[in-house]
Amino acid sequence: MIDVPDTYDAIGYISDGNGFPLTSFARPVPQPKDNELLVRVLSSSLNPLEFKLADLNFFGNKPPVALGFDVAGVVIAKGRNVTDFAIGDSVVGMADCDGHGGWATGGQGGYAVVRSYLAAKKPEAVSFQDAGVLPICFLAAYLGLKPHVEGGETIYIPGGAGGVGHLAVQMAARTLGAGLVVSSASTDHNRQIASDCGAYAVIDYKSPDASDQLVALTKGEGFDIVFDATYSEKSFEQTAHLVRPGGRWVVLGVGPGRTTRTSVTESRVDQILASKGAMNINANVLSFFGEGKLIDGDAQFFLSTGMEASMRWHSEGVVRPLIAKAVNASVDGINSGLQSLREASGGYGKIAVALSSSESSY
Ligand SMILES: NC(=O)c1ccc[n+]([C@@H]2O[C@H](COP(=O)([O-])OP(=O)(O)OC[C@H]3O[C@@H](n4cnc5c(N)ncnc54)[C@H](OP(=O)(O)O)[C@@H]3O)[C@@H](O)[C@H]2O)c1
């Protein structure tokens, strides 16, 4: 018999904008609707999305809002029509980021509802900690690369030690058959990480001749694909120049000129790509969320396949997360972790959140 309380102390924001630093508040344990799982969350991770949502509340959800959208834990209830998962299954998934996540204080675990197509069973060999850092960053890399990379192509992935970047480099180099995977980072340590992830060459993107070095690696032709998950307007312009004529430039999320989310800034990316006849591809995990968004069967299948791939490729040892550190289930731990993520450059891999002191405590 699973003991589920009526309420628990969630971690998130309580004001509509300027909600960082986060706080804790009592929240009823949610109930799963049709096609949804209720997961007792044992492990999670920090993503820039969480401080951005606390700052801007851009999904317009009525606070208080619980954060923590990366979820690894155990299914404790399920809605109607869920046939692929059973109560007691260990799972990984992404909670609805236009709703609530699964962070909680106290070390007893949190609670999050996950749509069944955004979840996958967690094999025993994959730890809850590893599983819990994967969903958002893995799906972002999968969405940005899997439909676009063709065998033998040259690909440039700036920021190859970042949360998304280190998974993207492994994916491109080890699962998608890219011909040449090149990356970048700002420190020796991070360049070593990108190299260990499978990049053939890793340059210092701050070097004055970074672009020349990169173009030389393609014998002057430019890259077939650039996957830029840096959210840096400076990087966007630099990497748009590196796409070969007729190539593809893939960006995550809101895209050039919109990274502040509060105003549109000037960006030359469209112009640069148009001058090369290159395609600008927007890959946005957040586009699957928001009031009234209808996710068709193809998209559900893609996301479900992606979540399954995150577990399969981990088990096979081809795409594994690097965990820089873990913070515990406290408001202070999560706030200081998010603050270090906000200060961005020079960090690496993922910061895990340990929500339960015992992985089997459900
Ligand atoms: N909408 C979506 O689908 C979606 C999904 C996931 C993430 N995101 C967004 O994607 C961004 C990255 O997320 P993350 O978790 O990977 O963050 P992260 O771990 O902080 O990584 C950021 C990376 O960008 C690199 N970088 C910064 N400026 C650069 C530049 N000028 N040139 C090359 N590389 C540069 C950094 O390299 P160094 O540390 O070596 O300097 C770092 O590796 C965030 O803004 C996040 O919100 C969007």
Side-chain angles (χ1 to χ4, degrees):
M1 184 69 189
I2 297 164
D3 185 20
V4 182
D6 293 334
T7 62
Y8 71 106
D9 287 331
I11 298 176
Y13 57 95
I14 56 171
S15 64
D16 188 354
N18 293 317
F20 188 81
L22 308 180
T23 188
S24 78
F25 54 88
R27 171 172 190 248
V29 171
Q31 294 303 312
K33 299 196 287 286
D34 289 4
N35 303 305
E36 290 179 344
L37 310 171
L38 174 61
V39 178
R40 173 93 175 258
V41 187
L42 305 177
S43 204
S44 177
S45 88
L46 305 181
N47 287 288
L49 170 63
E50 275 115 359
F51 64 72
K52 293 179 188 180
L53 264 179
D55 284 346
L56 301 171
N57 194 31
F58 50 78
F59 278 117
N61 203 354
K62 190 167 180 293
V65 173
L67 294 173
F69 304 110
D70 279 345
V71 163
V74 177
V75 177
I76 57 170
K78 54 183 200 163
R80 283 186 310 174
N81 306 327
V82 175
T83 51
D84 295 345
F85 298 91
I87 290 170
D89 280 351
S90 294
V91 292
V92 60
M94 179 176 173
D96 286 3
C97 55
D98 57 344
H100 296 271
W103 291 342
T105 63
Q108 303 302 309
Y111 298 90
V113 161
V114 178
R115 303 177 200 177
S116 58
Y117 59 82
L118 277 161
K121 286 186 189 160
K122 183 192 79 62
E124 190 128 2
V126 181
S127 68
F128 282 104
Q129 187 183 61
D130 270 15
V133 302
L134 282 169
I136 294 179
C137 284
F138 185 96
L139 280 180
Y142 192 78
L143 190 63
L145 294 174
K146 173 81 172 147
H148 307 300
V149 177
E150 284 166 27
E153 288 192 310
T154 56
I155 175 159
Y156 176 50
I157 301 173
V164 176
H166 83 293
L167 299 172
V169 169
Q170 293 179 69
M171 216 177 270
R174 299 174 183 158
T175 72
L176 302 178
L180 175 78
V181 179
V182 175
S183 188
S184 68
S186 62
T187 66
D188 285 344
H189 182 252
N190 284 0
R191 285 190 283 280
Q192 186 60 50
I193 289 169
S195 171
D196 292 346
C197 285
Y200 167 78
V202 186
I203 60 109
D204 175 359
Y205 66 76
K206 291 187 171 165
S207 159
D209 68 344
S211 294
D212 292 343
Q213 290 180 49
L214 288 159
V215 171
L217 284 160
T218 64
K219 300 190 172 55
E221 288 179 6
F223 291 90
D224 295 317
I225 299 188
V226 167
F227 173 57
D228 193 331
T230 64
Y231 257 59
S232 156
E233 297 285 353
K234 197 171 169 195
S235 177
F236 289 167
E237 289 206 5
Q238 183 187 33
T239 65
H241 279 294
L242 296 167
V243 184
R244 72 158 165 78
R248 284 145 288 156
W249 186 82
V250 186
V251 70
L252 275 187
V254 288
R258 292 179 170 77
T259 45
T260 66
R261 281 190 175 270
T262 52
S263 59
V264 177
T265 54
E266 197 186 326
S267 169
R268 296 183 55 244
V269 168
D270 284 346
Q271 206 183 318
I272 298 164
L273 295 174
S275 72
K276 293 163 174 273
M279 204 187 288
N280 183 342
I281 298 170
N282 188 273
N284 189 357
V285 175
L286 306 194
S287 67
F288 298 106
F289 302 92
E291 188 77 43
K293 281 277 167 74
L294 286 178
I295 311 302
D296 64 23
D298 287 349
Q300 291 188 21
F301 179 75
F302 180 83
L303 292 167
S304 165
T305 312
M307 288 308 307
E308 282 164 18
S310 75
M311 294 295 96
R312 189 174 65 256
W313 288 341
H314 186 298
S315 303
E316 291 168 359
V318 285
V319 182
R320 286 199 169 155
L322 175 66
I323 297 179
K325 65 176 172 181
V327 298
N328 61 19
S330 72
V331 172
D332 286 351
I334 285 180
N335 277 332
S336 74
L338 283 176
Q339 187 57 34
S340 67
L341 206 54
R342 188 197 280 280
E343 283 152 16
S345 186
Y348 62 92
K350 293 291 301 175
I351 301 177
V353 182
L355 291 163
S356 169
S357 40
S358 160
E359 288 203 336
S360 57
S361 65
Y362 66 93

